[in-house]
PDB file of all heavy atoms in Angstrom:
ATOM      1  N   LEU A   1       5.593   2.552 -23.377  1.00 96.00           N
ATOM      2  CA  LEU A   1       6.301   1.572 -22.555  1.00 96.00           C
ATOM      3  C   LEU A   1       5.644   0.210 -22.700  1.00 96.00           C
ATOM      4  O   LEU A   1       4.437   0.101 -22.931  1.00 96.00           O
ATOM      5  CB  LEU A   1       6.294   2.009 -21.085  1.00 96.00           C
ATOM      6  CG  LEU A   1       7.054   3.303 -20.779  1.00 96.00           C
ATOM      7  CD1 LEU A   1       6.827   3.704 -19.324  1.00 96.00           C
ATOM      8  CD2 LEU A   1       8.538   3.124 -21.050  1.00 96.00           C
ATOM      9  N   ALA A   2       6.446  -0.826 -22.535  1.00 90.00           N
ATOM     10  CA  ALA A   2       5.988  -2.179 -22.849  1.00 90.00           C
ATOM     11  C   ALA A   2       4.803  -2.667 -22.028  1.00 90.00           C
ATOM     12  O   ALA A   2       4.036  -3.502 -22.487  1.00 90.00           O
ATOM     13  CB  ALA A   2       7.153  -3.160 -22.719  1.00 90.00           C
ATOM     14  N   GLY A   3       4.649  -2.192 -20.804  1.00 83.00           N
ATOM     15  CA  GLY A   3       3.481  -2.657 -20.047  1.00 83.00           C
ATOM     16  C   GLY A   3       3.707  -2.726 -18.563  1.00 83.00           C
ATOM     17  O   GLY A   3       3.760  -1.710 -17.884  1.00 83.00           O
ATOM     18  N   SER A   4       3.874  -3.945 -18.029  1.00 84.00           N
ATOM     19  CA  SER A   4       3.923  -4.128 -16.585  1.00 84.00           C
ATOM     20  C   SER A   4       5.076  -5.032 -16.169  1.00 84.00           C
ATOM     21  O   SER A   4       5.253  -6.115 -16.723  1.00 84.00           O
ATOM     22  CB  SER A   4       2.610  -4.729 -16.081  1.00 84.00           C
ATOM     23  OG  SER A   4       1.505  -3.961 -16.495  1.00 84.00           O
ATOM     24  N   THR A   5       5.838  -4.575 -15.196  1.00 80.00           N
ATOM     25  CA  THR A   5       6.874  -5.411 -14.585  1.00 80.00           C
ATOM     26  C   THR A   5       6.232  -6.090 -13.388  1.00 80.00           C
ATOM     27  O   THR A   5       5.991  -5.447 -12.363  1.00 80.00           O
ATOM     28  CB  THR A   5       8.069  -4.547 -14.138  1.00 80.00           C
ATOM     29  OG1 THR A   5       8.632  -3.903 -15.284  1.00 80.00           O
ATOM     30  CG2 THR A   5       9.140  -5.414 -13.481  1.00 80.00           C
ATOM     31  N   LEU A   6       5.924  -7.366 -13.519  1.00 73.00           N
ATOM     32  CA  LEU A   6       5.193  -8.077 -12.468  1.00 73.00           C
ATOM     33  C   LEU A   6       6.103  -8.862 -11.533  1.00 73.00           C
ATOM     34  O   LEU A   6       5.811  -8.996 -10.350  1.00 73.00           O
ATOM     35  CB  LEU A   6       4.168  -9.026 -13.101  1.00 73.00           C
ATOM     36  CG  LEU A   6       3.121  -8.356 -14.002  1.00 73.00           C
ATOM     37  CD1 LEU A   6       2.186  -9.413 -14.592  1.00 73.00           C
ATOM     38  CD2 LEU A   6       2.322  -7.315 -13.235  1.00 73.00           C
ATOM     39  N   ALA A   7       7.206  -9.382 -12.038  1.00 67.00           N
ATOM     40  CA  ALA A   7       8.091 -10.204 -11.212  1.00 67.00           C
ATOM     41  C   ALA A   7       8.665  -9.391 -10.053  1.00 67.00           C
ATOM     42  O   ALA A   7       9.231  -8.318 -10.247  1.00 67.00           O
ATOM     43  CB  ALA A   7       9.232 -10.752 -12.072  1.00 67.00           C
ATOM     44  N   ASN A   8       8.449  -9.902  -8.846  1.00 61.00           N
ATOM     45  CA  ASN A   8       8.993  -9.298  -7.623  1.00 61.00           C
ATOM     46  C   ASN A   8       8.418  -7.918  -7.295  1.00 61.00           C
ATOM     47  O   ASN A   8       8.982  -7.183  -6.491  1.00 61.00           O
ATOM     48  CB  ASN A   8      10.526  -9.193  -7.707  1.00 61.00           C
ATOM     49  CG  ASN A   8      11.188 -10.535  -7.885  1.00 61.00           C
ATOM     50  OD1 ASN A   8      10.819 -11.498  -7.240  1.00 61.00           O
ATOM     51  ND2 ASN A   8      12.165 -10.595  -8.779  1.00 61.00           N
ATOM     52  N   THR A   9       7.310  -7.558  -7.912  1.00 61.00           N
ATOM     53  CA  THR A   9       6.703  -6.267  -7.604  1.00 61.00           C
ATOM     54  C   THR A   9       5.289  -6.413  -7.047  1.00 61.00           C
ATOM     55  O   THR A   9       4.690  -5.428  -6.633  1.00 61.00           O
ATOM     56  CB  THR A   9       6.654  -5.356  -8.847  1.00 61.00           C
ATOM     57  OG1 THR A   9       5.876  -5.975  -9.871  1.00 61.00           O
ATOM     58  CG2 THR A   9       8.052  -5.081  -9.372  1.00 61.00           C
ATOM     59  N   PHE A  10       4.730  -7.618  -7.029  1.00 61.00           N
ATOM     60  CA  PHE A  10       3.407  -7.871  -6.448  1.00 61.00           C
ATOM     61  C   PHE A  10       3.566  -8.947  -5.374  1.00 61.00           C
ATOM     62  O   PHE A  10       4.274  -9.924  -5.576  1.00 61.00           O
ATOM     63  CB  PHE A  10       2.415  -8.380  -7.504  1.00 61.00           C
ATOM     64  CG  PHE A  10       1.864  -7.296  -8.382  1.00 61.00           C
ATOM     65  CD1 PHE A  10       2.605  -6.803  -9.440  1.00 61.00           C
ATOM     66  CD2 PHE A  10       0.608  -6.769  -8.147  1.00 61.00           C
ATOM     67  CE1 PHE A  10       2.108  -5.803 -10.262  1.00 61.00           C
ATOM     68  CE2 PHE A  10       0.100  -5.764  -8.954  1.00 61.00           C
ATOM     69  CZ  PHE A  10       0.845  -5.283 -10.016  1.00 61.00           C
ATOM     70  N   GLY A  11       2.901  -8.759  -4.235  1.00 58.00           N
ATOM     71  CA  GLY A  11       2.958  -9.795  -3.209  1.00 58.00           C
ATOM     72  C   GLY A  11       2.673  -9.242  -1.830  1.00 58.00           C
ATOM     73  O   GLY A  11       2.381  -8.056  -1.652  1.00 58.00           O
ATOM     74  N   TYR A  12       2.765 -10.106  -0.822  1.00 57.00           N
ATOM     75  CA  TYR A  12       2.473  -9.727   0.547  1.00 57.00           C
ATOM     76  C   TYR A  12       3.603  -8.901   1.162  1.00 57.00           C
ATOM     77  O   TYR A  12       3.385  -8.113   2.058  1.00 57.00           O
ATOM     78  CB  TYR A  12       2.255 -10.980   1.409  1.00 57.00           C
ATOM     79  CG  TYR A  12       0.986 -11.725   1.096  1.00 57.00           C
ATOM     80  CD1 TYR A  12       0.992 -12.816   0.235  1.00 57.00           C
ATOM     81  CD2 TYR A  12      -0.220 -11.333   1.665  1.00 57.00           C
ATOM     82  CE1 TYR A  12      -0.174 -13.496  -0.048  1.00 57.00           C
ATOM     83  CE2 TYR A  12      -1.398 -12.018   1.382  1.00 57.00           C
ATOM     84  CZ  TYR A  12      -1.369 -13.098   0.533  1.00 57.00           C
ATOM     85  OH  TYR A  12      -2.506 -13.780   0.238  1.00 57.00           O
ATOM     86  N   VAL A  13       4.824  -9.136   0.688  1.00 60.00           N
ATOM     87  CA  VAL A  13       5.981  -8.446   1.237  1.00 60.00           C
ATOM     88  C   VAL A  13       6.432  -7.354   0.276  1.00 60.00           C
ATOM     89  O   VAL A  13       6.628  -7.605  -0.918  1.00 60.00           O
ATOM     90  CB  VAL A  13       7.146  -9.432   1.483  1.00 60.00           C
ATOM     91  CG1 VAL A  13       8.345  -8.682   2.050  1.00 60.00           C
ATOM     92  CG2 VAL A  13       6.710 -10.540   2.434  1.00 60.00           C
ATOM     93  N   TYR A  14       6.585  -6.144   0.786  1.00 64.00           N
ATOM     94  CA  TYR A  14       6.997  -5.019  -0.058  1.00 64.00           C
ATOM     95  C   TYR A  14       8.452  -5.176  -0.473  1.00 64.00           C
ATOM     96  O   TYR A  14       9.340  -5.353   0.364  1.00 64.00           O
ATOM     97  CB  TYR A  14       6.802  -3.711   0.697  1.00 64.00           C
ATOM     98  CG  TYR A  14       7.288  -2.503  -0.063  1.00 64.00           C
ATOM     99  CD1 TYR A  14       6.727  -2.167  -1.294  1.00 64.00           C
ATOM    100  CD2 TYR A  14       8.304  -1.701   0.433  1.00 64.00           C
ATOM    101  CE1 TYR A  14       7.171  -1.071  -2.007  1.00 64.00           C
ATOM    102  CE2 TYR A  14       8.749  -0.594  -0.266  1.00 64.00           C
ATOM    103  CZ  TYR A  14       8.180  -0.285  -1.489  1.00 64.00           C
ATOM    104  OH  TYR A  14       8.617   0.801  -2.188  1.00 64.00           O
ATOM    105  N   ASN A  15       8.698  -5.133  -1.767  1.00 67.00           N
ATOM    106  CA  ASN A  15      10.049  -5.236  -2.301  1.00 67.00           C
ATOM    107  C   ASN A  15      10.673  -3.845  -2.348  1.00 67.00           C
ATOM    108  O   ASN A  15      10.274  -2.992  -3.150  1.00 67.00           O
ATOM    109  CB  ASN A  15      10.016  -5.858  -3.706  1.00 67.00           C
ATOM    110  CG  ASN A  15      11.394  -5.982  -4.324  1.00 67.00           C
ATOM    111  OD1 ASN A  15      12.401  -5.704  -3.675  1.00 67.00           O
ATOM    112  ND2 ASN A  15      11.443  -6.408  -5.569  1.00 67.00           N
ATOM    113  N   GLN A  16      11.656  -3.595  -1.518  1.00 70.00           N
ATOM    114  CA  GLN A  16      12.291  -2.283  -1.446  1.00 70.00           C
ATOM    115  C   GLN A  16      12.977  -1.905  -2.753  1.00 70.00           C
ATOM    116  O   GLN A  16      13.239  -0.720  -3.010  1.00 70.00           O
ATOM    117  CB  GLN A  16      13.314  -2.265  -0.301  1.00 70.00           C
ATOM    118  CG  GLN A  16      12.726  -2.523   1.076  1.00 70.00           C
ATOM    119  CD  GLN A  16      11.873  -1.379   1.587  1.00 70.00           C
ATOM    120  OE1 GLN A  16      11.996  -0.246   1.110  1.00 70.00           O
ATOM    121  NE2 GLN A  16      11.015  -1.645   2.554  1.00 70.00           N
ATOM    122  N   ASP A  17      13.286  -2.900  -3.568  1.00 79.00           N
ATOM    123  CA  ASP A  17      13.982  -2.649  -4.835  1.00 79.00           C
ATOM    124  C   ASP A  17      13.040  -2.635  -6.030  1.00 79.00           C
ATOM    125  O   ASP A  17      13.486  -2.708  -7.176  1.00 79.00           O
ATOM    126  CB  ASP A  17      15.062  -3.713  -5.061  1.00 79.00           C
ATOM    127  CG  ASP A  17      16.175  -3.648  -4.023  1.00 79.00           C
ATOM    128  OD1 ASP A  17      16.538  -2.525  -3.622  1.00 79.00           O
ATOM    129  OD2 ASP A  17      16.669  -4.711  -3.607  1.00 79.00           O
ATOM    130  N   ALA A  18      11.732  -2.541  -5.790  1.00 82.00           N
ATOM    131  CA  ALA A  18      10.755  -2.607  -6.877  1.00 82.00           C
ATOM    132  C   ALA A  18      11.012  -1.550  -7.943  1.00 82.00           C
ATOM    133  O   ALA A  18      11.011  -1.838  -9.141  1.00 82.00           O
ATOM    134  CB  ALA A  18       9.339  -2.470  -6.319  1.00 82.00           C
ATOM    135  N   ASN A  19      11.245  -0.313  -7.524  1.00 87.00           N
ATOM    136  CA  ASN A  19      11.485   0.750  -8.499  1.00 87.00           C
ATOM    137  C   ASN A  19      12.744   0.492  -9.317  1.00 87.00           C
ATOM    138  O   ASN A  19      12.783   0.764 -10.525  1.00 87.00           O
ATOM    139  CB  ASN A  19      11.589   2.105  -7.789  1.00 87.00           C
ATOM    140  CG  ASN A  19      10.245   2.613  -7.298  1.00 87.00           C
ATOM    141  OD1 ASN A  19       9.207   2.081  -7.662  1.00 87.00           O
ATOM    142  ND2 ASN A  19      10.267   3.637  -6.466  1.00 87.00           N
ATOM    143  N   LYS A  20      13.753  -0.032  -8.663  1.00 89.00           N
ATOM    144  CA  LYS A  20      15.004  -0.350  -9.368  1.00 89.00           C
ATOM    145  C   LYS A  20      14.772  -1.426 -10.407  1.00 89.00           C
ATOM    146  O   LYS A  20      15.260  -1.337 -11.540  1.00 89.00           O
ATOM    147  CB  LYS A  20      16.060  -0.809  -8.364  1.00 89.00           C
ATOM    148  CG  LYS A  20      17.401  -1.161  -8.995  1.00 89.00           C
ATOM    149  CD  LYS A  20      18.403  -1.609  -7.929  1.00 89.00           C
ATOM    150  CE  LYS A  20      19.731  -2.008  -8.574  1.00 89.00           C
ATOM    151  NZ  LYS A  20      20.707  -2.459  -7.547  1.00 89.00           N
ATOM    152  N   VAL A  21      13.984  -2.448 -10.031  1.00 88.00           N
ATOM    153  CA  VAL A  21      13.675  -3.548 -10.956  1.00 88.00           C
ATOM    154  C   VAL A  21      12.908  -3.012 -12.169  1.00 88.00           C
ATOM    155  O   VAL A  21      13.199  -3.371 -13.312  1.00 88.00           O
ATOM    156  CB  VAL A  21      12.841  -4.640 -10.241  1.00 88.00           C
ATOM    157  CG1 VAL A  21      12.328  -5.666 -11.248  1.00 88.00           C
ATOM    158  CG2 VAL A  21      13.672  -5.319  -9.164  1.00 88.00           C
ATOM    159  N   ILE A  22      11.931  -2.158 -11.918  1.00 90.00           N
ATOM    160  CA  ILE A  22      11.120  -1.585 -13.005  1.00 90.00           C
ATOM    161  C   ILE A  22      11.984  -0.733 -13.931  1.00 90.00           C
ATOM    162  O   ILE A  22      11.891  -0.846 -15.161  1.00 90.00           O
ATOM    163  CB  ILE A  22       9.965  -0.745 -12.421  1.00 90.00           C
ATOM    164  CG1 ILE A  22       8.956  -1.664 -11.721  1.00 90.00           C
ATOM    165  CG2 ILE A  22       9.265   0.059 -13.520  1.00 90.00           C
ATOM    166  CD1 ILE A  22       7.908  -0.937 -10.910  1.00 90.00           C
ATOM    167  N   MET A  23      12.836   0.110 -13.366  1.00 93.00           N
ATOM    168  CA  MET A  23      13.686   0.971 -14.176  1.00 93.00           C
ATOM    169  C   MET A  23      14.676   0.148 -15.006  1.00 93.00           C
ATOM    170  O   MET A  23      14.939   0.473 -16.178  1.00 93.00           O
ATOM    171  CB  MET A  23      14.444   1.957 -13.282  1.00 93.00           C
ATOM    172  CG  MET A  23      15.072   3.110 -14.053  1.00 93.00           C
ATOM    173  SD  MET A  23      13.843   4.201 -14.833  1.00 93.00           S
ATOM    174  CE  MET A  23      13.370   5.230 -13.448  1.00 93.00           C
ATOM    175  N   GLU A  24      15.223  -0.914 -14.433  1.00 93.00           N
ATOM    176  CA  GLU A  24      16.146  -1.775 -15.175  1.00 93.00           C
ATOM    177  C   GLU A  24      15.429  -2.465 -16.336  1.00 93.00           C
ATOM    178  O   GLU A  24      15.994  -2.611 -17.420  1.00 93.00           O
ATOM    179  CB  GLU A  24      16.761  -2.822 -14.235  1.00 93.00           C
ATOM    180  CG  GLU A  24      17.785  -2.257 -13.264  1.00 93.00           C
ATOM    181  CD  GLU A  24      18.364  -3.314 -12.358  1.00 93.00           C
ATOM    182  OE1 GLU A  24      17.819  -4.462 -12.348  1.00 93.00           O
ATOM    183  OE2 GLU A  24      19.334  -3.029 -11.648  1.00 93.00           O
ATOM    184  N   ASN A  25      14.192  -2.875 -16.090  1.00 91.00           N
ATOM    185  CA  ASN A  25      13.422  -3.530 -17.139  1.00 91.00           C
ATOM    186  C   ASN A  25      13.169  -2.568 -18.295  1.00 91.00           C
ATOM    187  O   ASN A  25      13.305  -2.912 -19.469  1.00 91.00           O
ATOM    188  CB  ASN A  25      12.090  -4.034 -16.576  1.00 91.00           C
ATOM    189  CG  ASN A  25      11.299  -4.839 -17.584  1.00 91.00           C
ATOM    190  OD1 ASN A  25      11.831  -5.713 -18.248  1.00 91.00           O
ATOM    191  ND2 ASN A  25      10.015  -4.536 -17.699  1.00 91.00           N
ATOM    192  N   ILE A  26      12.805  -1.328 -17.953  1.00 94.00           N
ATOM    193  CA  ILE A  26      12.562  -0.312 -18.981  1.00 94.00           C
ATOM    194  C   ILE A  26      13.835  -0.013 -19.759  1.00 94.00           C
ATOM    195  O   ILE A  26      13.815   0.163 -20.985  1.00 94.00           O
ATOM    196  CB  ILE A  26      12.022   0.981 -18.339  1.00 94.00           C
ATOM    197  CG1 ILE A  26      10.601   0.745 -17.787  1.00 94.00           C
ATOM    198  CG2 ILE A  26      12.001   2.134 -19.356  1.00 94.00           C
ATOM    199  CD1 ILE A  26      10.043   1.908 -17.000  1.00 94.00           C
ATOM    200  N   SER A  27      14.967   0.029 -19.056  1.00 94.00           N
ATOM    201  CA  SER A  27      16.240   0.367 -19.702  1.00 94.00           C
ATOM    202  C   SER A  27      16.707  -0.700 -20.682  1.00 94.00           C
ATOM    203  O   SER A  27      17.631  -0.466 -21.467  1.00 94.00           O
ATOM    204  CB  SER A  27      17.324   0.588 -18.638  1.00 94.00           C
ATOM    205  OG  SER A  27      17.657  -0.627 -17.988  1.00 94.00           O
ATOM    206  N   ASN A  28      16.058  -1.865 -20.642  1.00 94.00           N
ATOM    207  CA  ASN A  28      16.415  -2.955 -21.550  1.00 94.00           C
ATOM    208  C   ASN A  28      15.307  -3.275 -22.543  1.00 94.00           C
ATOM    209  O   ASN A  28      15.346  -4.319 -23.205  1.00 94.00           O
ATOM    210  CB  ASN A  28      16.771  -4.220 -20.760  1.00 94.00           C
ATOM    211  CG  ASN A  28      18.062  -4.077 -19.984  1.00 94.00           C
ATOM    212  OD1 ASN A  28      19.124  -3.877 -20.571  1.00 94.00           O
ATOM    213  ND2 ASN A  28      17.989  -4.167 -18.678  1.00 94.00           N
ATOM    214  N   SER A  29      14.319  -2.383 -22.640  1.00 94.00           N
ATOM    215  CA  SER A  29      13.169  -2.656 -23.501  1.00 94.00           C
ATOM    216  C   SER A  29      12.939  -1.520 -24.495  1.00 94.00           C
ATOM    217  O   SER A  29      13.159  -0.347 -24.184  1.00 94.00           O
ATOM    218  CB  SER A  29      11.897  -2.823 -22.650  1.00 94.00           C
ATOM    219  OG  SER A  29      12.050  -3.838 -21.679  1.00 94.00           O
ATOM    220  N   ASN A  30      12.494  -1.877 -25.689  1.00 96.00           N
ATOM    221  CA  ASN A  30      12.099  -0.886 -26.686  1.00 96.00           C
ATOM    222  C   ASN A  30      10.656  -0.473 -26.459  1.00 96.00           C
ATOM    223  O   ASN A  30       9.876  -1.217 -25.841  1.00 96.00           O
ATOM    224  CB  ASN A  30      12.249  -1.450 -28.095  1.00 96.00           C
ATOM    225  CG  ASN A  30      13.693  -1.627 -28.506  1.00 96.00           C
ATOM    226  OD1 ASN A  30      14.528  -0.766 -28.237  1.00 96.00           O
ATOM    227  ND2 ASN A  30      13.999  -2.739 -29.151  1.00 96.00           N
ATOM    228  N   LEU A  31      10.285   0.688 -26.933  1.00 97.00           N
ATOM    229  CA  LEU A  31       8.890   1.104 -26.877  1.00 97.00           C
ATOM    230  C   LEU A  31       8.081   0.281 -27.872  1.00 97.00           C
ATOM    231  O   LEU A  31       8.614  -0.184 -28.887  1.00 97.00           O
ATOM    232  CB  LEU A  31       8.762   2.597 -27.213  1.00 97.00           C
ATOM    233  CG  LEU A  31       9.528   3.580 -26.327  1.00 97.00           C
ATOM    234  CD1 LEU A  31       9.162   5.021 -26.709  1.00 97.00           C
ATOM    235  CD2 LEU A  31       9.255   3.338 -24.855  1.00 97.00           C
ATOM    236  N   ILE A  32       6.798   0.106 -27.586  1.00 96.00           N
ATOM    237  CA  ILE A  32       5.963  -0.709 -28.464  1.00 96.00           C
ATOM    238  C   ILE A  32       5.208   0.136 -29.494  1.00 96.00           C
ATOM    239  O   ILE A  32       4.580  -0.397 -30.394  1.00 96.00           O
ATOM    240  CB  ILE A  32       4.960  -1.559 -27.649  1.00 96.00           C
ATOM    241  CG1 ILE A  32       4.052  -0.661 -26.794  1.00 96.00           C
ATOM    242  CG2 ILE A  32       5.700  -2.547 -26.775  1.00 96.00           C
ATOM    243  CD1 ILE A  32       2.961  -1.445 -26.051  1.00 96.00           C
ATOM    244  N   HIS A  33       5.271   1.474 -29.339  1.00 97.00           N
ATOM    245  CA  HIS A  33       4.670   2.362 -30.333  1.00 97.00           C
ATOM    246  C   HIS A  33       5.220   3.769 -30.118  1.00 97.00           C
ATOM    247  O   HIS A  33       5.875   4.057 -29.097  1.00 97.00           O
ATOM    248  CB  HIS A  33       3.142   2.361 -30.248  1.00 97.00           C
ATOM    249  CG  HIS A  33       2.595   2.783 -28.915  1.00 97.00           C
ATOM    250  ND1 HIS A  33       2.598   4.101 -28.485  1.00 97.00           N
ATOM    251  CD2 HIS A  33       2.022   2.065 -27.908  1.00 97.00           C
ATOM    252  CE1 HIS A  33       2.040   4.178 -27.288  1.00 97.00           C
ATOM    253  NE2 HIS A  33       1.689   2.960 -26.905  1.00 97.00           N
ATOM    254  N   ASP A  34       4.975   4.649 -31.053  1.00 97.00           N
ATOM    255  CA  ASP A  34       5.412   6.036 -30.913  1.00 97.00           C
ATOM    256  C   ASP A  34       4.733   6.679 -29.712  1.00 97.00           C
ATOM    257  O   ASP A  34       3.511   6.523 -29.526  1.00 97.00           O
ATOM    258  CB  ASP A  34       5.067   6.849 -32.170  1.00 97.00           C
ATOM    259  CG  ASP A  34       5.916   6.477 -33.365  1.00 97.00           C
ATOM    260  OD1 ASP A  34       7.040   5.950 -33.158  1.00 97.00           O
ATOM    261  OD2 ASP A  34       5.471   6.717 -34.502  1.00 97.00           O
ATOM    262  N   PRO A  35       5.460   7.386 -28.874  1.00 97.00           N
ATOM    263  CA  PRO A  35       4.856   8.051 -27.724  1.00 97.00           C
ATOM    264  C   PRO A  35       3.713   8.976 -28.145  1.00 97.00           C
ATOM    265  O   PRO A  35       3.834   9.758 -29.090  1.00 97.00           O
ATOM    266  CB  PRO A  35       6.025   8.871 -27.151  1.00 97.00           C
ATOM    267  CG  PRO A  35       7.230   8.085 -27.539  1.00 97.00           C
ATOM    268  CD  PRO A  35       6.920   7.571 -28.914  1.00 97.00           C
ATOM    269  N   GLY A  36       2.571   8.804 -27.467  1.00 97.00           N
ATOM    270  CA  GLY A  36       1.418   9.654 -27.724  1.00 97.00           C
ATOM    271  C   GLY A  36       0.525   9.195 -28.856  1.00 97.00           C
ATOM    272  O   GLY A  36      -0.529   9.798 -29.094  1.00 97.00           O
ATOM    273  N   SER A  37       0.885   8.110 -29.544  1.00 97.00           N
ATOM    274  CA  SER A  37       0.120   7.708 -30.723  1.00 97.00           C
ATOM    275  C   SER A  37      -1.067   6.802 -30.428  1.00 97.00           C
ATOM    276  O   SER A  37      -2.056   6.818 -31.156  1.00 97.00           O
ATOM    277  CB  SER A  37       1.038   7.002 -31.733  1.00 97.00           C
ATOM    278  OG  SER A  37       1.551   5.793 -31.188  1.00 97.00           O
ATOM    279  N   VAL A  38      -1.005   6.031 -29.357  1.00 96.00           N
ATOM    280  CA  VAL A  38      -2.084   5.089 -29.042  1.00 96.00           C
ATOM    281  C   VAL A  38      -2.048   4.782 -27.547  1.00 96.00           C
ATOM    282  O   VAL A  38      -0.992   4.867 -26.914  1.00 96.00           O
ATOM    283  CB  VAL A  38      -1.931   3.778 -29.865  1.00 96.00           C
ATOM    284  CG1 VAL A  38      -0.645   3.057 -29.482  1.00 96.00           C
ATOM    285  CG2 VAL A  38      -3.139   2.864 -29.686  1.00 96.00           C
ATOM    286  N   ALA A  39      -3.194   4.458 -26.983  1.00 96.00           N
ATOM    287  CA  ALA A  39      -3.279   4.141 -25.547  1.00 96.00           C
ATOM    288  C   ALA A  39      -3.243   2.637 -25.325  1.00 96.00           C
ATOM    289  O   ALA A  39      -4.086   1.912 -25.853  1.00 96.00           O
ATOM    290  CB  ALA A  39      -4.564   4.731 -24.956  1.00 96.00           C
ATOM    291  N   VAL A  40      -2.268   2.176 -24.569  1.00 95.00           N
ATOM    292  CA  VAL A  40      -2.139   0.761 -24.202  1.00 95.00           C
ATOM    293  C   VAL A  40      -1.906   0.712 -22.693  1.00 95.00           C
ATOM    294  O   VAL A  40      -0.961   1.325 -22.186  1.00 95.00           O
ATOM    295  CB  VAL A  40      -0.961   0.089 -24.932  1.00 95.00           C
ATOM    296  CG1 VAL A  40      -0.839  -1.365 -24.483  1.00 95.00           C
ATOM    297  CG2 VAL A  40      -1.145   0.169 -26.438  1.00 95.00           C
ATOM    298  N   TYR A  41      -2.753  -0.007 -21.979  1.00 95.00           N
ATOM    299  CA  TYR A  41      -2.692  -0.035 -20.517  1.00 95.00           C
ATOM    300  C   TYR A  41      -1.288  -0.357 -20.033  1.00 95.00           C
ATOM    301  O   TYR A  41      -0.672  -1.340 -20.484  1.00 95.00           O
ATOM    302  CB  TYR A  41      -3.672  -1.068 -19.973  1.00 95.00           C
ATOM    303  CG  TYR A  41      -3.945  -0.934 -18.498  1.00 95.00           C
ATOM    304  CD1 TYR A  41      -4.892  -0.025 -18.029  1.00 95.00           C
ATOM    305  CD2 TYR A  41      -3.250  -1.701 -17.569  1.00 95.00           C
ATOM    306  CE1 TYR A  41      -5.155   0.099 -16.678  1.00 95.00           C
ATOM    307  CE2 TYR A  41      -3.503  -1.578 -16.206  1.00 95.00           C
ATOM    308  CZ  TYR A  41      -4.453  -0.669 -15.771  1.00 95.00           C
ATOM    309  OH  TYR A  41      -4.697  -0.536 -14.424  1.00 95.00           O
ATOM    310  N   CYS A  42      -0.776   0.440 -19.105  1.00 94.00           N
ATOM    311  CA  CYS A  42       0.622   0.319 -18.710  1.00 94.00           C
ATOM    312  C   CYS A  42       0.816   0.640 -17.236  1.00 94.00           C
ATOM    313  O   CYS A  42       0.715   1.793 -16.820  1.00 94.00           O
ATOM    314  CB  CYS A  42       1.488   1.239 -19.575  1.00 94.00           C
ATOM    315  SG  CYS A  42       3.223   1.202 -19.173  1.00 94.00           S
ATOM    316  N   ASN A  43       1.116  -0.377 -16.440  1.00 92.00           N
ATOM    317  CA  ASN A  43       1.395  -0.181 -15.022  1.00 92.00           C
ATOM    318  C   ASN A  43       2.717   0.531 -14.799  1.00 92.00           C
ATOM    319  O   ASN A  43       2.854   1.347 -13.892  1.00 92.00           O
ATOM    320  CB  ASN A  43       1.408  -1.521 -14.288  1.00 92.00           C
ATOM    321  CG  ASN A  43       0.019  -2.066 -14.051  1.00 92.00           C
ATOM    322  OD1 ASN A  43      -0.857  -1.390 -13.538  1.00 92.00           O
ATOM    323  ND2 ASN A  43      -0.200  -3.310 -14.442  1.00 92.00           N
ATOM    324  N   ASP A  44       3.722   0.214 -15.606  1.00 94.00           N
ATOM    325  CA  ASP A  44       5.048   0.789 -15.405  1.00 94.00           C
ATOM    326  C   ASP A  44       5.039   2.303 -15.536  1.00 94.00           C
ATOM    327  O   ASP A  44       5.821   3.000 -14.880  1.00 94.00           O
ATOM    328  CB  ASP A  44       6.046   0.189 -16.405  1.00 94.00           C
ATOM    329  CG  ASP A  44       6.415  -1.247 -16.062  1.00 94.00           C
ATOM    330  OD1 ASP A  44       5.973  -1.731 -15.000  1.00 94.00           O
ATOM    331  OD2 ASP A  44       7.130  -1.889 -16.855  1.00 94.00           O
ATOM    332  N   GLY A  45       4.139   2.837 -16.364  1.00 96.00           N
ATOM    333  CA  GLY A  45       4.041   4.279 -16.504  1.00 96.00           C
ATOM    334  C   GLY A  45       3.657   4.942 -15.194  1.00 96.00           C
ATOM    335  O   GLY A  45       4.169   6.017 -14.850  1.00 96.00           O
ATOM    336  N   PHE A  46       2.770   4.304 -14.436  1.00 95.00           N
ATOM    337  CA  PHE A  46       2.359   4.868 -13.155  1.00 95.00           C
ATOM    338  C   PHE A  46       3.429   4.667 -12.089  1.00 95.00           C
ATOM    339  O   PHE A  46       3.531   5.459 -11.146  1.00 95.00           O
ATOM    340  CB  PHE A  46       1.012   4.272 -12.727  1.00 95.00           C
ATOM    341  CG  PHE A  46      -0.149   4.993 -13.354  1.00 95.00           C
ATOM    342  CD1 PHE A  46      -0.541   4.703 -14.646  1.00 95.00           C
ATOM    343  CD2 PHE A  46      -0.812   5.989 -12.669  1.00 95.00           C
ATOM    344  CE1 PHE A  46      -1.581   5.386 -15.244  1.00 95.00           C
ATOM    345  CE2 PHE A  46      -1.861   6.689 -13.250  1.00 95.00           C
ATOM    346  CZ  PHE A  46      -2.241   6.383 -14.549  1.00 95.00           C
TER     347      PHE A  46
END
C-alpha cells in the first residue's frame, strides 16, 4: 500500500469518516511493490 492517508485523519477532532476516506484513497491508488516483497512503513495498513 502506498503509505499514509494524512488529510482529515489527524487532529484534535475525531473524523467519523476517516475509514471511508482511507478506503477511498486506497481504491484509487496502485501498490508500490509486490505484496510481501519489501517492508515500507505504512499507516494505512494498520
Side-chain angles (χ1 to χ4, degrees):
L1 295 173
S4 306
T5 299
L6 301 179
N8 300 317
T9 60
F10 282 80
Y12 290 96
V13 180
Y14 176 61
N15 179 6
Q16 299 289 340
D17 295 323
N19 287 348
K20 180 180 178 181
V21 171
I22 292 170
M23 195 65 81
E24 287 180 349
N25 185 47
I26 292 174
S27 69
N28 291 298
S29 304
N30 289 318
L31 301 186
I32 59 175
H33 59 74
D34 289 336
S37 64
V38 64
V40 178
Y41 195 83
C42 179
N43 284 309
D44 287 355
F46 276 81

